[in-house]
Amino acid sequence: MTTTLLAAGFHFGECPRWHDDRLWFSDQWGMAVHSVSLAGDLRTEFRHDDRLSGLGWQPDGTLLVVSMHRRQLLARRADGLLALHADLSALATGHCNDMVVDAGGRAYVGNFGFDLDAEVTARGIDSVFADHPTASLIRVEPDGRASIAADDLHFPNGAVITPDGKTLILGETLGRRYTAFRIAADGALHDRRPWADVAPRVPDGCALDSEGAIWMANPIAPECVRIAPGGAVLAVIDTGQPCYACMLGGPDGRTLFMLTAPSFMSSAVSEPLGELRIATAPAPHAGRP
């Protein structure tokens, strides 16, 4: 599968979401949210004074966005201003990160669990994989009430919800695996179970397709990988740079969007060298986000 460069000129793209005929994504180190159409017209939707990450929409069209360092979930009002939706600082033990929002507007927010950049700089990436604190996945109700949805997770990151709304599949980046949960009617997560072991690869942002496979960005290699339940590799796409997030979208749901950058380390993202590449996927998007 070959890729085409759709857009560039941002620092570190994350959390892509197809919405209103455009791909929206966070530029974490550019502290902005951008969007782009399939014609490649990149525009900045808004900026903030903190790094931004997970994106998702509530049923009334309100955009929720994760403020990483402040450990907050923000809501973008109709007038374009950002307001506090939930303070997660008492629950998150590291920078807040990716998020999936269900059909009712409930959000599940991951966090690092520790200062990743500082620990990798001090100890090296292999040491961090071998020894690190675990973290919790946070559940935020539509009215902003927050609680722990699941704990003892190895860097809870990209997540998807199946089309029936009954299963959440979560990437544990430092565990090199996907873990599935049954979603109860009240949003509580139960019956934790393995979904796929992806070692030696590492899961970052991801997207679910209509055949039940997950497209997984691999942040330690220049590739985006299609994974079947259980971990079988169905396809590998060369993305040129390490791939940090992906999403299926477009008019038929079969455009695979892949966000890449030279590195995730702060020392490597001062220049706007991020790229957005696209390819055509064999099956369309399913579920959420």
Side-chain angles (χ1 to χ4, degrees):
M1 296 171 66
T2 59
T3 69
T4 301
L5 180 66
L6 182 65
F10 48 89
H11 293 262
F12 189 87
E14 265 281 13
C15 308
R17 310 287 186 254
W18 182 255
H19 181 75
D20 285 347
D21 298 321
R22 298 181 69 84
L23 186 82
W24 291 58
F25 64 94
S26 298
D27 184 357
Q28 286 188 356
W29 288 99
M31 294 189 290
V33 169
H34 306 298
S35 75
V36 63
S37 74
L38 284 174
D41 58 319
L42 182 69
R43 74 185 184 207
T44 299
E45 297 291 343
F46 59 91
R47 297 187 181 276
H48 190 49
D49 58 357
D50 187 20
R51 290 170 61 194
L52 299 175
S53 188
L55 302 174
W57 282 262
Q58 295 187 301
D60 66 358
T62 298
L63 172 64
L64 299 180
V65 56
V66 171
S67 176
M68 297 182 69
H69 287 195
R70 291 178 183 162
R71 305 179 195 185
Q72 296 175 339
L73 185 57
L74 307 176
R76 191 177 188 228
R77 305 184 322 202
D79 60 8
L81 297 178
L82 293 172
L84 180 66
H85 182 65
D87 184 351
L88 310 180
S89 59
L91 302 174
T93 51
H95 301 333
C96 290
N97 191 27
D98 209 344
M99 169 180 69
V100 62
V101 178
D102 72 13
R106 181 183 291 113
Y108 296 88
V109 185
N111 76 93
F112 289 13
F114 61 98
D115 189 332
L116 176 66
D117 203 58
E119 289 297 306
V120 171
T121 299
R123 299 195 284 131
I125 187 67
D126 291 339
S127 177
V128 171
F129 268 101
D131 179 25
H132 54 266
T134 58
S136 298
L137 183 69
I138 300 169
R139 184 176 91 221
V140 182
E141 300 300 327
D143 63 5
R145 289 176 294 125
S147 60
I148 298 297
D151 57 13
D152 197 30
L153 296 163
H154 295 264
F155 201 115
N157 203 340
V160 298
I161 295 174
T162 54
D164 62 6
K166 295 181 178 180
T167 302
L168 183 145
I169 305 168
L170 174 72
E172 294 187 65
T173 296
L174 296 179
R176 300 180 189 262
R177 66 188 178 217
Y178 281 97
T179 301
F181 300 85
R182 176 176 59 84
I183 305 173
D186 64 356
L189 301 182
H190 300 285
D191 304 331
R192 183 188 304 208
R193 61 194 185 277
W195 190 85
D197 181 349
V198 299
R201 293 182 166 95
V202 174
D204 203 327
C206 61
L208 182 69
D209 71 25
S210 63
E211 296 180 353
I214 284 179
W215 281 101
M216 178 193 84
N218 184 2
I220 63 169
E223 62 180 23
C224 189
V225 185
R226 188 172 183 236
I227 302 291
V233 175
L234 303 177
V236 179
I237 298 178
D238 185 341
T239 56
Q241 299 186 123
C243 189
Y244 295 97
C246 59
M247 179 51 52
L248 289 163
D252 62 0
R254 294 181 64 235
T255 300
L256 178 64
F257 299 90
M258 296 160 283
L259 287 162
T260 73
S263 171
F264 67 88
M265 297 294 289
S266 59
S267 58
V269 292
S270 59
E271 297 297 323
L273 300 176
E275 295 183 347
L276 172 60
R277 293 192 165 271
I278 59 173
T280 301
H285 171 267
R288 300 179 74 91

